[in-house]
Amino acid sequence: KKVARTLEAGELVTDSLVIEILEANLQSDACKLGFMLDGFPRTLVQAEKLDSYLGEHNEPLNNVVEFKVNDGVLVDRISGRMIHQASGRTYHEVFAPPKEHMKDDVTGEPLMKRPDDNPTVLKRRLDIYHEQTAPLIKFYADKGVLRSVDAMQSPEKVFRIFVNILKSKVLIVHRYTCMYVVL
């Protein structure tokens, strides 16, 4: 609930809460064969703590993926998104509209928009990204693990590039909202 309230306000979750959640999950059985992180770390402090944690557990970091997208395009992509909650199907007002406005094509049930999928909140989050997260690009490039993907290309091409990176044992996916870019 605390995380949801923070995100709805357009803020980012605190480092200590994120790291607490991350460490608990990385110790679970679900992560024994490996893991992928989406949108973490977001700050240098988080990156350093992740490096420390991985070092303590002898888990080398293989790749960090940055999806490069123009801010304006990112706002357009995210603010037009609609979701069918029960199934997880996604639509977009421009790129993949439902047959009937705000109704799921399969069930006819109403679609919803996330409260944080609006231009005002997204612009605030992008400001935070440029201030706190963008420095991670140099941090991971200096470590030799950064893989940048031009996500302004077609979704199919971006997906193929991403899959090839995954085949090289990716552990972190990084770009503020990469899942929106890929889908």
Side-chain angles (χ1 to χ4, degrees):
K1 290 180 181 181
K2 187 175 181 180
V3 171
R5 281 194 310 271
T6 302
L7 293 176
E8 285 173 8
E11 300 294 326
L12 298 178
V13 180
T14 64
D15 289 346
S16 59
L17 180 58
V18 171
I19 290 163
E20 178 184 323
I21 292 167
L22 174 72
E23 287 180 357
N25 281 287
L26 291 181
Q27 294 171 13
S28 73
D29 288 343
C31 294
K32 286 201 185 295
L33 298 177
F35 56 91
M36 181 178 358
L37 303 173
D38 177 359
F40 181 86
R42 293 180 193 258
T43 67
L44 283 173
V45 169
Q46 290 176 352
E48 290 163 351
K49 289 189 184 245
L50 176 63
D51 275 2
S52 174
Y53 177 85
L54 293 174
E56 290 169 12
H57 292 84
N58 199 26
E59 292 283 344
L61 181 63
N62 299 76
N63 292 303
V64 173
V65 179
E66 172 200 19
F67 291 93
K68 297 176 93 164
V69 180
N70 172 285
D71 285 1
V73 171
L74 192 59
V75 169
D76 290 344
R77 288 179 182 180
I78 296 171
S79 61
R81 184 172 69 158
M82 298 169 283
I83 302 168
H84 179 250
Q85 266 189 300
S87 69
R89 277 185 292 279
T90 59
Y91 298 87
H92 191 278
E93 292 170 351
V94 175
F95 306 118
K99 292 174 186 167
E100 187 177 341
H101 181 68
M102 291 301 291
K103 298 230 179 189
D104 180 57
D105 288 350
V106 176
T107 66
E109 295 171 340
L111 300 175
M112 58 88 61
K113 294 187 89 167
R114 287 179 31 172
D116 59 337
D117 282 359
N118 70 71
T120 302
V121 171
L122 291 169
K123 287 175 184 169
R124 169 81 176 116
R125 291 180 75 184
L126 283 168
D127 288 344
I128 294 169
Y129 169 82
H130 289 295
E131 179 184 319
Q132 296 179 9
T133 308
L136 295 179
I137 294 167
K138 181 178 178 348
F139 179 82
Y140 285 117
D142 289 348
K143 291 181 171 291
V145 295
L146 181 69
R147 309 292 176 257
S148 294
V149 176
D150 177 2
M152 298 291 289
Q153 303 174 80
S154 73
E156 297 79 16
K157 188 167 186 176
V158 172
F159 180 74
R160 280 194 308 273
I161 294 167
F162 182 64
V163 167
N164 287 333
I165 294 170
L166 285 175
K167 289 178 181 177
S168 68
K169 299 183 179 180
V170 68
L171 290 180
I172 295 181
V173 177
H174 191 79
R175 167 68 176 160
Y176 150 65
T177 51
C178 69
M179 69 180 134
Y180 304 133
V181 176
V182 174
L183 294 178

